[in-house]
Amino acid sequence: MSTTANTTYTTFTGWVDPPTDIRPPLTENLTCSVAVIGGGLAGMATALRLAQHGVDAVLLESEFCGHGAGSRNAGQLASAPGGDIQLLNLLYRKQMPAIIRLTENAACHVESMIETLGIDCDYEATGNVFAAVSRGQLGRTRRIAKILRRAGAHVEEGTARELGIPHGFLGGMREINGGIMNPGKLLRGLRSAALASTVRVFEQSKVVDIVRDNRGVTIETPRGVVRAEKVVLATNAYAGEWDITPKRLSSPMWVTEVETEPIAPERLGALGWTSRSGLITQHNIMENYRLTSRNTIVFGVRRIERAAGYPLPERHPDPAVVTDLARAFARRFPPLADVAIDRAWGGWIGITSTWLPVAGTVGDDVSYSLACNGHGLAQATYIGSLIADRIATGITPDDLRTIWVDEPNFGRAVPMIMGRLGLRAAWAADRFNDMINGSKRNARKGFATVPRSLRLPA
Ligand SMILES: Cc1cc2nc3c(=O)[nH]c(=O)nc-3n(C[C@H](O)[C@H](O)[C@H](O)COP(=O)(O)OP(=O)(O)OC[C@H]3O[C@@H](n4cnc5c(N)ncnc54)[C@H](O)[C@@H]3O)c2cc1C
């Protein structure tokens, strides 16, 4: 961790501290039925479900379970697909009802997992709101609501007051299922459940190679080898580190979240945020805002940075990105413009080439999934457990069939759009629209407002 005057920049997450009981690495050669690689949401959900089926499973994690995006995200449990829903509707119109069934089931699955495992992660079933900051965005939320409703989603539209969201937003659409939580606590709870189960968990065991032959799969770590009948790859943004991974399965991107200092309850109360729903703006690259149980606001994204290549580095957020986020906060919450940012962190997410979660196999014995696209809190977890069901029963569950890839042949379009230039252009277009909308708003009010900026490191 490094600190500046006001803000702590961490290479892990602001939600929780790393565990103090990290498990020893694999230092022997062993065999198992199924080896799961990656101790994130997908990997732990897969391993736990395999254990419930009575399958002998080994879980290999390079650092400690919960080290990845799972503990670092905004904690907004979404029930709609990630990405641009209008685009998804263009590309997958016929499949939309099945996609919505999957994404809503995913949110419900995580809610019931939290309850069944008794995980204290400050979960609040508030739903999440696609919140508009301009008339243009309001029109977009209306079009999206229409698409989602037609596909069977549970959504409701309204003004800011009707949705119980802060006065700085115009209104929008709430996904009724899902809510907000402390994701670090969720991952800690899943880790405890995995350690208490029959799963053999090895942390500090980075998988460096995976080789298939006619007797099974060999998985190499620096100090030990696992021979497994089947393997599940669940490393999200890191998936491209091995030759065995299908090409262009995942485009790794760095995204940033920050948390304010604690805010007096009466100041939070004055915002009009009565529903406590998490918020997602409708920019090309979204801003997200949410309340926490510690009277702070966590917010983030707005800029996405493409990875330069593998291996993905351990890193801090860029102070320039944190400054940009602070500017946005002051604009969306003018009464809180004097509030300081206490901490900043970030993480690697994997964007798929289809904009949808994907899952499939390489040969018969290596399963992979990538369910991130910024909505993996629900979807990576659910799809992980469906993959376990498929391995244990030999039957592909319907929701898994919806995103199943028979032949991994992922296109180049998304990786190109999400290139450095494309991401910069999207950010610039968002700022231009913000500027135009700000001027229009001020013209309507008859004066010019310049938000005071948050207290930030120099
Ligand atoms: C800042 C941020 C904000 C986000 N906000 C949201 C949100 O609000 N809502 C939402 O739904 N989603 C959000 N996401 C996305 C969500 O966190 C991810 O989709 C989800 O965590 C993916 O889960 P996963 O298990 O696939 O991957 P991860 O949680 O990243 O886990 C992968 C694991 O694999 C391990 N690993 C990697 N390489 C190896 C190797 N070679 N050997 C062994 N282990 C390895 C890693 O250490 C890690 O523990 C956000 C992500 C970030 C980074």
Side-chain angles (χ1 to χ4, degrees):
M1 257 185 212
S2 67
T3 48
T4 61
N6 298 313
T7 307
T8 303
Y9 285 74
T10 165
T11 53
F12 180 39
T13 175
W15 290 109
V16 290
D17 292 328
T20 51
D21 60 342
I22 299 178
R23 287 293 171 104
L26 178 73
T27 52
E28 57 186 314
N29 295 348
L30 53 81
T31 57
C32 67
S33 299
V34 183
V36 180
I37 306 175
L41 289 162
M44 285 199 278
T46 307
L48 277 168
R49 187 77 171 175
L50 286 168
Q52 279 171 12
H53 281 291
V55 175
D56 162 40
V58 163
L59 177 60
L60 297 166
E61 160 57 46
S62 59
E63 304 290 336
F64 51 84
C65 292
H67 175 260
S71 296
R72 299 158 185 252
N73 61 60
Q76 293 183 226
L77 186 75
S79 58
D84 181 337
I85 289 174
Q86 294 184 98
L87 182 64
L88 289 183
N89 188 51
L90 269 179
L91 297 173
Y92 310 107
R93 198 180 169 88
K94 272 200 188 143
Q95 295 101 305
M96 281 305 273
I99 292 167
I100 297 304
R101 189 189 58 202
L102 180 158
T103 58
E104 292 207 342
N105 283 347
C108 294
H109 173 83
V110 172
E111 284 176 339
S112 71
M113 190 185 73
I114 290 169
E115 204 175 310
T116 314
L117 295 176
I119 298 175
D120 167 15
C121 60
D122 306 331
Y123 182 65
E124 299 177 59
T126 56
N128 285 287
V129 170
F130 286 38
V133 301
S134 66
R135 284 167 194 237
Q137 289 197 7
L138 205 51
R140 186 181 155 91
T141 61
R142 289 200 184 113
R143 291 191 295 277
I144 290 173
K146 199 166 157 195
I147 292 168
L148 290 178
R149 214 176 264 123
R150 197 171 50 214
H154 296 84
V155 295
E156 60 189 359
E157 291 172 84
T159 59
R161 186 182 293 271
E162 285 161 351
L163 294 170
I165 64 172
H167 309 311
F169 297 83
L170 298 183
M173 178 210 80
R174 176 166 23 242
E175 327 164 335
I176 294 169
N177 295 325
I180 54 172
M181 70 174 85
N182 177 328
K185 284 179 151 187
L186 174 72
L187 272 282
R188 209 160 60 186
L190 281 176
R191 179 173 179 272
S192 301
L195 295 182
S197 74
T198 56
V199 178
R200 286 177 279 168
V201 179
F202 297 94
E203 300 185 308
Q204 308 171 74
S205 303
K206 182 177 166 79
V207 170
V208 289
D209 204 7
I210 303 164
V211 181
R212 296 175 57 230
D213 61 32
N214 47 16
R215 287 176 302 129
V217 192
T218 306
I219 302 136
E220 264 183 52
T221 71
R223 296 169 63 190
V225 171
V226 176
R227 289 230 18 120
E229 289 161 30
K230 289 189 188 294
V231 171
V232 180
L233 311 180
T235 58
N236 185 22
Y238 302 82
E241 286 186 358
W242 311 298
D243 291 341
I244 198 167
T245 307
K247 293 240 168 336
R248 295 183 291 277
L249 168 65
S250 161
S251 301
M253 310 280 163
W254 176 263
V255 290
T256 303
E257 294 288 327
V258 300
E259 180 171 12
T260 66
E261 64 187 340
I263 304 168
E266 57 279 13
R267 296 188 75 190
L268 286 175
L271 294 174
W273 205 340
T274 52
S275 67
R276 294 182 63 82
S277 294
L279 309 176
I280 305 151
T281 66
Q282 296 303 298
H283 293 88
N284 291 314
I285 304 177
M286 69 166 191
E287 294 163 17
N288 69 274
Y289 299 93
R290 53 147 304 178
L291 294 162
T292 74
S293 61
R294 41 200 193 203
N295 285 337
T296 61
I297 296 175
V298 165
F299 60 103
V301 190
R302 197 160 138 115
R303 273 198 199 195
I304 300 179
E305 298 165 72
R306 173 120 196 193
Y310 295 105
L312 300 179
E314 184 96 340
R315 55 166 288 189
H316 294 121
D318 178 345
V321 174
V322 175
T323 305
D324 186 47
L325 284 168
R327 248 184 242 123
F329 182 87
R331 193 177 183 129
R332 311 289 171 229
F333 299 88
L336 301 182
D338 61 316
V339 170
I341 290 181
D342 247 9
R343 48 190 144 206
W345 66 90
W348 293 106
I349 61 171
I351 302 290
T352 60
S353 294
T354 57
W355 294 113
L356 286 177
V358 293
T361 56
V362 180
D364 257 359
D365 39 17
V366 178
S367 306
Y368 63 86
S369 71
L370 192 84
C372 190
N373 299 326
H375 278 44
L377 186 50
Q379 293 162 23
T381 316
Y382 182 49
I383 289 161
S385 66
L386 295 182
I387 286 185
D389 287 348
R390 182 179 188 274
I391 291 173
T393 65
I395 299 165
T396 308
D398 284 348
D399 280 345
L400 193 57
R401 208 181 291 280
T402 298
I403 53 153
W404 194 255
V405 175
D406 288 323
E407 283 294 320
N409 183 13
F410 299 114
R412 291 178 190 277
V414 170
M416 266 166 64
I417 296 167
M418 300 294 281
R420 283 173 183 218
L421 225 60
L423 291 170
R424 255 198 124 68
W427 178 84
D430 283 338
R431 299 300 71 82
F432 180 72
N433 285 329
D434 276 352
M435 198 178 71
I436 300 285
N437 292 319
S439 320
K440 279 189 196 157
R441 225 183 354 258
N442 292 337
R444 275 198 300 278
K445 285 182 187 163
F447 59 87
T449 50
V450 180
R452 284 180 294 155
S453 51
L454 291 171
R455 294 201 312 264
L456 276 168

